[in-house]
Amino acid sequence: MAKPAILAVDDDAAVAAAVVRDLRAHYGADYRILRATSGPEALEMMAALVLKDQPLAAVVTDQRMPAMTGIEVLQEVRQQSPASKLVLLTAYADTDVAIQAINDIALDHYLVKPWDPPEERLYPVLDELLGDWVRAHPDRDSEVRVVGHRWSERTHEVKSFLAHNHVPYRWLEVDQSEEARRLLDLAGADSAELPVVTLPEGACLRAPTTLQLAHALGLRTRAERPLYDLCIVGAGPAGLAAAVYAASEGLQTVVVERDAPGGQAGQSASIENYLGFPKGLSGADLTHRAVAQASRFGAEMVLARDVVGFETRGPVRAVLLDGSADIEARAVLVASGVSYRRLEAPGLDDVVGRGTYYGASASEASQAMGEDVYVVGAANSAGQAALNLARYARRVVLVARGVTLEASMSQYLVSRIRATSNIDVRLRTEVVRARGGDHLEAITLADRAAGTEEEVATSWMFVFIGAAPRTDWLGTDVARDARGFILTGPDLPQEIGWPLERTPFALETSVPGVFAAGDVRLDSMKRVASAVGEGAMAVYLVHRYLATV
């Protein structure tokens, strides 16, 4: 396979030569560095690459050119080569135009000229963008392959686990792919053993459990130390932030996650209001960065293990795991987030995982190419999913019980939804029935304002309603409200019998040394930034607690 290309575009010969020189010096070993001196020439070169099925990893172009502006060039590149990373070189006076291009054409980055020295101003930007591109375009020889049926709940679980753990895989539909049938024959597997997962080194797994898949991929599923300073339950934004701060400050830290890092935020196609990322970033990207950061500081990550209990053992807090040894720590942070609440409608349970899904990762959207998709919910997660699905689906219908979206969704999402031509919004509407055989075939919508019901055909429904914390494993010692949210600090009732002379710390639960952060905590803000802040704050409070015991 030909090396991926980086295309540099500038009508000034001296500037173009300087860009090409810097790109070749740093990336020449792994990429073809191409040069164009005008927008039309750049588009001709891009078309030649597309026709030959040769990858174009990035385009770096000047904004002010006579025949076409840089943004006009990048707009055409976005249409013809959607996965290419787009970088605009601009003068300071054009920064407003560049910022607008982030919204208009999903510009990945802009650099104000001059970019010298490249080691500080050019290479770090491109390293990050090209790293993202490489992760999205792995070498076929190093890919995991998943053979299964489109409407299989277990196949969906395997694909979700791989996607959420940032493991590149190739999906092969058993009824539509000759390669899928060939792999099944070679593996000696039948339809009852789907999905079949083949690994690059030759291992073949038949209908693997999540734990078996984690073991085969080399993911850590057991803790290594007999005692930690801090055990964090949950690897969403709050848990990962706590892991970064705790490990960087010298605390022996372990994070336990039953599925994959990121939580609900990790499934988001685009988080656009997180400080410091004007283009926004995907939940998967944020999670990948956070996991790498926590690992660099020495935090351990234990995956595919379900937490089933909690015990106080003198000065030690014990987290009990399903199928593995307990984890003992001097302090515990519960950051397990929430799950989407189940939609109560006759017939729905029969098609969960087979057309009906709770949540949706960004990578799953392409499966609904050209079809009608229904998204149920009115919070930010539902809005982000609707926008992502609209890139592939023929039509997306956002179904919400409320009178307006503004009451529960950020304004920037509401504006983008209203501006997207293939998204319809059904307010004061609920899903009251579902129908299907081997997969979802139709749902019934009840319009509460009109008092009418309507059955609509669809094979795809994604549900984002409510929030249900899973905290029953904490037992009776850790105080919670009637819905299971953890009470902390000033919210703790006096009758709990707090055992210490000092008052509980702000994020401390009814058990000294056990803290809670993020969505699992009562009255938390339910935003990524606030969860990250609470995770960092919890580590400060853990230090204060450990200093007293």
Side-chain angles (χ1 to χ4, degrees):
M1 182 177 179
K3 288 181 183 180
I6 300 174
L7 175 58
V9 191
D10 200 302
D11 65 309
D12 186 315
V15 175
V19 175
V20 169
R21 178 200 64 219
D22 289 342
L23 292 176
R24 282 180 177 157
H26 197 66
Y27 303 107
D30 300 312
Y31 295 87
R32 298 168 60 203
I33 310 301
L34 306 178
R35 171 182 171 180
T37 56
S38 70
E41 182 185 4
L43 297 183
E44 288 179 7
M45 297 176 74
M46 177 196 67
L49 292 172
V50 171
L51 287 173
K52 296 176 183 177
D53 196 25
Q54 294 179 355
L56 177 60
V59 178
V60 182
T61 181
D62 185 44
Q63 165 62 3
R64 294 192 178 187
M65 296 186 294
M68 296 178 72
T69 66
I71 289 175
E72 289 171 339
V73 172
L74 296 179
Q75 186 173 25
E76 188 64 27
V77 173
R78 181 62 82 206
Q79 294 295 321
Q80 303 301 324
S81 182
S84 298
K85 298 299 181 181
L86 310 184
V87 179
L88 188 70
L89 302 177
T90 181
Y92 182 79
D94 294 328
T95 54
D96 288 346
V97 176
I99 292 171
Q100 184 59 41
I102 293 174
N103 292 328
D104 294 342
I105 63 170
L107 178 70
D108 291 292
H109 204 91
Y110 69 90
L111 293 171
V112 178
K113 298 187 294 186
W115 60 87
D116 286 333
E119 292 79 9
E120 295 179 11
R121 302 188 60 190
L122 178 64
Y123 298 153
V125 170
L126 284 180
D127 285 350
E128 193 166 292
L129 293 177
L130 293 172
D132 290 344
W133 187 89
V134 168
R135 282 190 293 273
H137 299 80
D139 183 347
R140 280 290 178 94
D141 292 336
S142 64
E143 271 186 319
V144 172
R145 290 177 290 181
V146 179
V147 180
H149 194 281
R150 186 184 199 186
W151 305 121
S152 161
E153 182 176 4
R154 183 64 198 135
T155 298
H156 173 72
E157 291 172 357
V158 165
K159 290 162 63 181
S160 296
F161 182 82
L162 292 172
H164 297 166
N165 280 285
H166 313 288
V167 178
Y169 72 90
R170 184 147 44 101
W171 161 241
L172 301 171
E173 176 81 31
V174 69
D175 295 331
Q176 300 179 11
S177 167
E178 185 61 37
E179 183 180 359
R181 290 187 286 270
R182 180 176 59 83
L183 284 175
L184 288 184
D185 289 341
L186 291 174
D190 57 34
S191 58
E193 297 175 295
L194 294 178
V196 169
V197 181
T198 65
L199 305 184
E201 63 272 17
C204 179
L205 307 176
R206 298 176 178 84
T209 65
T210 298
L211 186 59
Q212 289 170 337
L213 190 55
H215 279 309
L217 294 168
L219 302 178
R220 181 175 291 165
T221 60
R222 291 181 180 273
E224 294 187 351
R225 296 176 179 272
L227 179 66
Y228 294 84
D229 294 316
L230 177 62
C231 175
I232 301 169
V233 180
L240 290 173
V244 168
Y245 281 97
S248 68
E249 294 168 10
L251 297 181
Q252 297 296 336
T253 304
V254 62
V255 184
V256 184
E257 170 57 55
R258 66 172 177 170
D259 180 24
Q264 287 187 4
Q267 300 180 38
S268 175
S270 181
I271 302 170
E272 297 184 63
N273 58 353
Y274 191 63
L275 184 66
F277 293 88
K279 181 183 178 291
L281 76 169
S282 70
D285 189 17
L286 178 63
T287 300
H288 182 80
R289 294 166 186 255
V291 170
Q293 198 171 11
S295 300
R296 182 167 70 88
F297 288 124
E300 290 183 29
M301 195 78 62
V302 175
L303 299 174
R305 291 293 185 187
D306 203 5
V307 177
V308 296
F310 165 78
E311 292 179 359
T312 298
R313 299 173 180 173
V316 171
R317 309 293 179 251
V319 173
L320 315 184
L321 305 183
D322 182 22
S324 181
D326 305 342
I327 295 179
E328 292 190 338
R330 299 167 64 204
V332 169
L333 173 63
V334 183
S336 48
V338 295
S339 302
Y340 292 114
R341 185 165 51 83
R342 290 276 168 167
L343 184 62
E344 300 296 332
L348 194 60
D349 288 345
D350 298 332
V351 289
V352 170
R354 295 183 291 114
T356 299
Y357 307 100
Y358 288 89
S361 67
S363 61
E364 295 166 346
S366 60
Q367 298 181 65
M369 179 74 73
E371 301 197 39
D372 288 353
V373 176
Y374 286 75
V375 176
V376 183
N380 279 7
S381 54
Q384 289 162 348
L387 288 167
N388 186 48
L389 287 161
R391 296 165 55 204
Y392 304 93
R394 185 179 74 88
R395 184 173 69 118
V396 175
V397 181
L398 184 62
V399 179
R401 295 176 59 185
V403 177
T404 66
L405 291 179
E406 285 84 352
S408 54
M409 189 180 295
S410 295
Q411 183 59 49
Y412 79 93
L413 286 173
V414 176
S415 299
R416 289 188 59 198
I417 286 169
R418 287 176 174 162
T420 304
S421 60
N422 64 331
I423 297 181
D424 297 333
V425 179
R426 298 279 299 267
L427 298 172
R428 291 184 286 186
T429 302
E430 297 179 59
V431 177
V432 295
R433 278 187 299 281
R435 176 174 60 80
D438 66 337
H439 68 280
L440 177 68
E441 296 174 8
I443 58 175
T444 299
L445 302 177
D447 187 324
R448 297 309 185 194
T452 59
E453 292 188 358
E454 173 191 9
E455 185 179 83
V456 293
T458 184
S459 297
W460 301 94
M461 180 169 66
F462 298 91
V463 182
F464 301 82
I465 59 170
R470 182 186 169 276
T471 54
D472 54 313
W473 60 273
L474 287 165
T476 58
D477 291 340
V478 177
R480 304 183 293 281
D481 75 351
R483 296 177 298 164
F485 289 95
I486 298 175
L487 306 178
T488 58
D491 291 324
L492 288 169
Q494 293 187 354
E495 60 268 21
I496 64 168
W498 178 251
L500 304 180
E501 291 185 7
R502 67 168 175 84
T503 58
F505 295 130
L507 300 180
E508 197 167 19
T509 71
S510 54
V511 176
V514 177
F515 300 82
D519 291 358
V520 75
R521 193 178 65 82
L522 179 66
D523 289 336
S524 61
M525 190 175 168
K526 307 298 187 289
R527 289 290 187 270
V528 173
S530 61
V532 169
E534 287 192 9
M537 179 181 173
V539 173
Y540 164 72
L541 299 175
V542 166
H543 278 297
R544 292 182 63 185
Y545 167 76
L546 294 178
T548 66
V549 295

